[in-house]
Every structure is written in structure tokens, then in C-alpha cells.
């Protein structure tokens, strides 16, 4: 009789995770505008009996942190982010998949973590739930959560199980991020007399050409450091010699950044200004025996959550469809993630 009841309970939690995923996807929460989804999660977690608090970040932005009344200082916390990249895409589903912005990155993960926490609670195991803002841009929510952990609560949390789309494989490591801003200045002139001006765009293009040709480090287990030139802007009009040009670059790190920074500065040259506005370090993670593994080529909030215990990284969904117009999560993976989160928490 008990096995039949547990089977029904597991099925109900999986179905609830599907419903909750769609409800969350249908709440627009592009980075900077997470209040509506945060309020929804706050209300739902209060409704099912969690001690839930809004953790202020800035203006109307806040993280959501929830614990069970039976254990206000849990040793294990499940965490992921509430924000998404643009544009907003409402939810839909077919027999096997849930579609929409955030379905795998990371609203399906939120649903799986809540369902897992509920199943664990019925077994007398109490975990925390931490859902943060700003992961897709600057990890500001994670920074605030880290300050909260340092100042507002006992250091009881031993393990942070962070959720990102890893196809339910546990990550051995994640690449870091180094953002680079390249700015060139020039002098405006009539384009019929280029000798009277100084083209900022020419300077920028020359620097970017050198940076693209620059050899990058590689790790035998993790793979190569990579470069993406994500944004280029500059100039005034086709018939004006441009006095300004700017590019935003992003390197995916496979180790410390000091040597790479020096190499970028030397290669770019003195004709441009180089700034490094953001770095998230390369990390290796704790693993769990018996689970398939992967290397995350992307960066997560984990480097900003150092006060929340030893990190693990695992979640349903594929990073290959995250940030695309066809983003989706497999319903089967969503259900499997609930089992995995429960099993990992029990083992820890």
C-alpha cells in the first residue's frame, strides 16, 4: 500500500512541476524586471508552509529564500536564478516538452527543486530554497545573497546544489568569464578628406584583428579558452570620419586570468583603451559517485555564492537550447531531476 501511495505522490509532484514550470515561464522576468516572478514564488512557498523572505537587492528587485519551519538553518540549499534573457516567450507544451523563455534556463529547474524539497520534507529531510535575480547579467542577486549568508545567518549551510541546464549530468567544472571592453577614440572630419581626421573604427578593427589572432590557453580536461566579440558600436554617419568606437568581448576562462589579462593588454596595443568590468573565475566542483558528468562551458552564480557551502552543479534541460527562440525542457528530464535532487541531498 505504501509503495502505491509513494508512486502516486511521485507522479503528482512531477505533474505539479510541469504546471509550475509553465506558470513561471508565463511571468515575464527579463533581468532587471524580476519582481513579478519573485512575488509569485514568495506567495506559493508561503502557501505550502515555508518560512519565506524577500531578500532586497535594489529598488523592487529581490531574491527569495525559503526554509522549512522544522529546520530554519538547513545544511543543504537548492539554488538557481529567476531572471531570463530577452525576449519574453510565453509557454506552450506538447506530449514531451515544455517550451518558452526560461523553460530550461532556469524556471523548470526552480519547479524541480521545489518539488524535490517537498518530497524530501515528507521524508523528514529539510533543505533550503534560494532563488536569485540577475544571473544573466552581473550576478548581483548572488552577491547580495552571499552578504546575507555572511551577516544574517549561522554558517549552517554545508552544500549548495546550484541548478543550471546540464541535462541532469553533474558538472566537474565550469568555465569562468572575463568581460573586456575595448574603446577607441579619434577625430571627426569630412569623409572626403580623411587625412584631416582620425578614424576610431580603424583603430578598433586593428585591435580586434590582433586579439582574434592571439593564441588562447587550453586545459586538457576542460577544453580551450574561447573569445566572443559580442557587441560593436561606433561612428556618426557614413560621411563622417568616426571619433568613437567600442566593442564588448567575452572570454570563457579555463584557469586563472592574470596572464590572459596581460596578454590582452599587450596585444590590443596603445591605440585603444582596455577595461575589465567583470570576472567570474573558473571552478571545479564536488561530484557524486555514480552520476554521469559534464564540463560546463558557461558561467554560473556559484562563484558569487561562496558563503553557502561547497557547491555542486546539476539541472535538467540543455544549455544548447537555452537563450534560443525554441528554448524547451524535456518533461522526462524534469521528472528525473526531482529524483536526482532528492538522491543527492540524501547522500550529502
Amino acid at each position: 500500500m505504501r509503495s502505491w501511495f509513494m508512486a502516486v505522490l511521485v507522479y503528482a509532484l512531477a505533474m505539479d512541476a510541469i504546471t509550475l514550470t509553465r506558470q513561471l515561464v508565463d511571468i515575464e522576468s527579463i533581468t532587471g524586471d524580476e519582481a513579478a516572478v519573485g512575488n509569485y514564488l514568495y506567495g506559493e512557498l508561503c502557501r505550502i508552509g515555508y518560512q519565506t523572505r524577500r531578500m532586497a537587492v535594489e529598488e523592487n528587485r529581490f531574491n527569495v529564500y525559503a526554509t522549512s519551519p522544522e529546520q530554519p538553518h538547513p545544511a543543504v540549499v537548492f539554488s538557481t536564478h529567476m531572471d531570463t534573457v530577452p525576449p519574453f516567450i510565453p509557454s506552450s507544451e506538447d506530449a514531451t516538452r515544455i517550451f518558452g523563455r526560461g523553460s530550461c534556463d532556469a524556471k523548470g529547474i526552480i519547479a524541480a527543486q521545489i518539488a524535490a524539497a517537498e518530497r524530501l520534507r515528507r521524508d523528514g529531510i529539510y533543505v533550503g530554497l534560494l532563488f536569485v535575480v540577475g544571473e544573466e547579467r552581473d550576478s548581483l542577486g548572488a552577491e547580495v545573497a552571499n552578504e546575507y549568508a555572511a551577516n544574517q545567518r549561522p554558517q549552517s549551510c554545508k552544500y549548495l546544489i546550484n541548478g543550471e541546464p546540464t541535462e541532469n549530468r553533474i558538472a566537474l567544472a565550469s568555465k569562468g568569464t572575463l568581460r573586456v571592453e575595448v574603446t577607441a577614440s579619434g577625430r571627426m572630419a569630412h569623409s572626403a578628406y580623411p587625412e584631416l581626421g582620425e578614424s576610431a573604427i580603424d583603430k578598433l578593427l586593428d585591435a580586434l584583428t590582433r586579439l582574434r589572432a592571439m593564441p588562447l590557453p587550453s586545459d586538457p580536461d576542460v577544453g580551450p579558452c574561447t573569445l566572443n566579440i559580442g557587441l560593436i558600436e561606433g561612428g556618426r554617419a557614413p560621411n563622417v570620419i568616426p571619433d568613437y568606437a567600442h566593442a564588448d568581448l567575452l572570454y570563457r576562462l579555463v584557469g586563472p586570468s592574470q596572464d590572459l589579462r596581460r596578454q590582452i593588454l599587450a596585444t590590443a596595443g596603445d591605440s585603444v583603451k582596455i577595461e575589465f568590468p567583470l570576472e567570474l573565475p573558473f571552478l571545479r566542483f564536488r561530484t557524486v559517485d555514480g552520476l554521469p558528468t559534464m564540463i560546463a562551458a558557461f558561467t554560473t552564480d556559484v562563484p558569487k555564492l561562496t558563503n553557502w557551502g561547497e557547491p555542486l552543479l546539476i539541472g535538467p534541460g540543455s544549455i544548447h537550447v537555452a537563450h534560443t527562440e525554441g528554448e524547451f525542457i524535456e518533461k522526462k528530464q524534469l521528472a528525473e531531476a526531482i529524483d536526482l535532487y532528492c538522491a543527492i541531498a540524501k547522500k550529502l
Side-chain angles (χ1 to χ4, degrees):
M1 183 71 174
R2 175 174 170 78
S3 61
W4 174 86
F5 173 77
M6 289 304 298
V8 171
L9 176 61
V10 168
Y11 175 78
L13 286 170
M15 292 304 293
D16 284 347
I18 291 171
T19 300
L20 180 56
T21 298
R22 289 203 60 178
Q23 289 170 336
L24 293 173
V25 170
D26 284 333
I27 302 172
E28 183 174 337
S29 60
I30 293 167
T31 308
D33 189 25
E34 303 100 336
V37 75
N39 282 323
Y40 181 81
L41 282 168
Y42 176 86
E44 285 299 297
L45 290 167
C46 288
R47 182 183 64 81
I48 60 178
Y50 285 85
Q51 293 179 336
T52 311
R53 66 216 71 179
R54 297 180 179 93
M55 190 185 297
V57 175
E58 61 176 10
E59 296 179 359
N60 65 339
R61 301 176 71 198
F62 54 89
N63 302 326
V64 175
Y65 180 52
T67 56
S68 297
E70 298 87 347
Q71 179 49 274
H73 303 298
V76 175
V77 170
F78 295 155
S79 179
T80 190
H81 59 95
M82 299 182 286
D83 63 315
T84 72
V85 298
F88 170 67
I89 303 172
S91 75
S92 61
E93 68 178 293
D94 61 20
T96 61
R97 294 173 173 175
I98 305 168
F99 300 87
R101 178 60 74 231
S103 52
C104 77
D105 189 18
K107 292 179 175 180
I109 295 171
I110 292 176
Q113 290 182 341
I114 292 174
E118 279 293 273
R119 188 188 299 178
L120 289 165
R121 187 162 67 155
R122 289 176 172 87
D123 292 339
I125 299 171
Y126 306 104
V127 300
L129 294 164
L130 174 66
F131 304 129
V132 301
V133 301
E135 189 271 347
E136 297 289 4
R137 185 175 299 165
D138 56 11
S139 292
L140 181 58
E143 290 183 13
V144 170
N146 218 36
E147 293 174 7
Y148 173 87
N151 300 322
Q152 302 295 326
R153 56 190 292 276
Q155 296 302 302
S156 60
C157 184
K158 296 179 180 179
Y159 302 103
L160 179 79
I161 302 176
N162 191 249
E164 288 287 349
T166 69
E167 299 180 55
N168 285 337
R169 295 177 291 165
I170 196 159
L172 299 172
S174 69
K175 291 186 178 181
T177 290
L178 180 65
R179 275 182 45 198
V180 182
E181 294 182 352
V182 185
T183 305
S185 298
R187 186 172 65 254
M188 284 191 289
H190 196 293
S191 64
Y193 303 93
E195 69 277 8
L196 300 179
E198 189 179 342
S199 173
I201 288 179
D202 286 349
K203 293 180 183 180
L204 180 67
L205 292 177
D206 289 344
L208 293 180
T209 299
R210 292 191 294 270
L211 290 171
R212 291 183 66 203
M214 187 182 83
L216 297 174
S218 185
D219 182 281
D221 298 321
V222 179
C225 173
T226 59
L227 163 65
N228 179 57
I229 301 174
L231 175 68
I232 296 177
E233 59 185 5
R236 305 286 181 172
N239 58 348
V240 178
I241 302 297
D243 63 326
Y244 171 82
H246 177 92
D248 288 341
L249 284 56
L250 192 144
Y251 289 84
R252 297 289 180 179
L253 303 175
V254 296
S257 71
Q258 292 90 336
D259 289 343
L260 179 62
R261 285 173 178 248
R262 285 193 289 267
Q263 192 178 6
I264 290 168
L265 288 168
T267 302
D270 296 334
S271 62
V272 295
K273 179 183 177 182
I274 299 291
E275 294 181 304
F276 302 99
L278 175 69
E279 178 179 349
L280 296 173
F282 165 79
L283 290 180
R284 296 187 186 273
F285 295 114
R286 181 190 181 97
T287 59
V288 175
D289 292 342
L291 294 183
T293 61
M294 58 87 73
I295 300 293
F298 52 88
T299 307
T300 73
D301 272 332
V302 172
K304 299 290 188 179
L305 293 169
T306 55
N307 293 326
W308 289 81
E310 191 173 2
L312 298 87
L313 181 67
I314 187 170
S318 170
I319 197 68
H320 296 146
V321 299
H323 299 193
T324 70
E325 62 182 12
E327 182 176 348
F328 68 85
I329 191 167
E330 299 279 358
K331 293 178 180 178
K332 181 180 179 182
Q333 276 196 17
L334 194 63
E336 290 171 347
I338 301 171
D339 295 335
L340 279 170
Y341 284 135
C342 288
I344 294 170
K346 287 179 178 179
K347 185 168 287 192
L348 294 176

